[in-house]
Amino acid sequence: MGGDPRHVGIIMDGNGRWAEDRGLPRIEGHRRGADSVRDIVRYARERELAALTLYAFSEQNWARPVDEVAALMDLLRDYLTSERAEIMDHDIRLVSVGAIDRLPQTVREPLDALVRDSAENRHLTLCLALSYGGQESLVEAARCLGSEIEAGRLRAEQIDLPRLAAALQTGRLGLPPLDLVVRTSGEQRLSNFLLWESAYAELYFTDVPWPAFRREHFALALDDYAQRQRRYGLTGAQVGGIE
Ligand code: FPP
């Protein structure tokens, strides 16, 4: 039916359980999870997806034990440093969504540098959701529009779907809506990930934990997506007629 999705979002779940099942500290699961990130990004680029958004750290993850948060920040810093050449050589544009100002300087510096230096890259857009919450991002967009109204540049009745979409961080970055959301490790929920952007996304759940999730698993998710009929509220016959 469809071909490859343009924009895929991944909820990378199961790092902690993968490690605990092996008697390892949870951080080992995150470390192995960073290897999965490398493989999946490279594969997304090879498949010529337009955009890939990875849920790397949620707004709610700040409440985890301080050691785990610190270790995750170290991993992010290491990733941004070690993958710099890979991202630039493969013409990948790196962007981020979330409350970036809450991140430590050790992460923000390499992140800002790579976002800036890769801004003209034209193949895959890799978006890291960091300190991100879907509800929080909607509040932020509402505030932006509210300020426009207060400043007299906008009237409330002018707010419509495109204007709200454009006020979101994803809209400002020019990211297309999500076509496919993948969640690893068996749970079947969105956990405050890109709520607006996933309005018509296909959902794909797998029991494979994120540290074990590699390109062959991602390929299965993309194959599954290709079999779906996306209807956007129309009937199957209507959509069949369109295709
Ligand atoms: C969820 O597993 C995963 C996270 C909270 C962090 C994801 C981070 C990485 C994959 C590594 C660093 C990221 C990049 C982009 C290099 P969990 O700990 O909630 O697992 P559990 O549900 O089994 O406890």
Side-chain angles (χ1 to χ4, degrees):
M1 248 160 232
D4 273 354
R6 281 209 304 155
H7 186 186
V8 180
I10 305 186
I11 303 172
M12 308 183 288
D13 196 16
N15 293 352
R17 277 166 289 163
W18 180 89
E20 283 159 9
D21 286 351
R22 287 159 181 76
L24 298 168
R26 291 175 57 84
I27 185 59
E28 276 308 316
H30 296 312
R31 203 164 282 140
R32 185 68 75 97
D35 293 339
S36 299
V37 169
R38 291 184 179 91
D39 192 41
I40 296 306
V41 169
R42 180 168 279 209
Y43 187 62
R45 171 71 180 82
E46 285 170 23
R47 287 285 289 243
E48 300 196 346
L49 303 187
L52 175 70
T53 298
L54 300 177
Y55 203 6
F57 193 83
S58 75
E59 184 68 32
Q60 290 66 34
N61 286 154
W62 289 113
R64 289 195 174 198
V66 282
D67 287 2
E68 187 170 338
V69 171
L72 278 167
M73 292 302 138
D74 286 351
L75 271 181
L76 282 167
R77 179 205 57 207
D78 293 348
Y79 176 81
L80 292 165
T81 316
S82 68
E83 294 311 288
R84 190 186 164 81
E86 166 90 9
I87 286 173
M88 295 307 294
D89 290 351
H90 288 88
D91 201 27
I92 295 171
R93 176 174 79 123
L94 183 81
V95 298
S96 67
V97 289
I100 301 306
D101 52 350
R102 290 192 70 185
L103 298 171
Q105 204 53 28
T106 50
V107 176
R108 273 175 62 185
E109 266 174 23
L111 177 66
D112 289 346
L114 204 42
V115 166
R116 191 185 54 236
D117 296 344
S118 69
E120 301 302 320
N121 290 353
R122 284 289 164 260
H123 276 89
L124 176 71
T125 293
L126 171 61
C127 176
L128 297 182
L130 295 168
S131 190
Y132 177 81
Q135 292 178 329
E136 287 80 354
S137 77
L138 281 162
V139 169
E140 193 210 24
R143 284 201 184 129
C144 282
L145 294 171
S147 321
E148 291 290 295
I149 291 173
E150 279 176 2
R153 290 192 289 266
L154 183 68
R155 293 192 317 278
E157 63 269 24
Q158 290 177 301
I159 297 177
D160 55 10
L161 292 174
R163 205 179 282 266
L164 184 41
L168 288 162
Q169 283 182 319
T170 46
R172 301 202 294 267
L173 291 165
L175 286 166
L178 280 169
D179 298 306
L180 173 66
V181 173
V182 174
R183 181 171 187 143
T184 59
S185 209
E187 311 290 350
Q188 302 196 357
R189 52 177 174 259
L190 285 178
S191 298
N192 207 15
F193 183 56
L194 294 168
L195 300 176
W196 172 280
E197 297 82 351
S198 60
Y200 284 98
E202 298 294 322
L203 307 180
Y204 180 87
F205 301 105
T206 171
D207 288 336
V208 178
W210 180 252
F213 190 87
R214 297 298 153 95
R215 58 178 57 212
E216 58 272 24
H217 304 107
F218 195 24
L220 288 178
L222 297 176
D223 288 350
D224 192 273
Y225 172 85
Q227 300 307 315
R228 310 266 183 110
Q229 184 187 51
R230 303 191 69 194
R231 293 208 284 270
Y232 300 98
L234 302 179
T235 67
Q238 283 177 305
V239 176
I242 291 167
E243 279 188 340

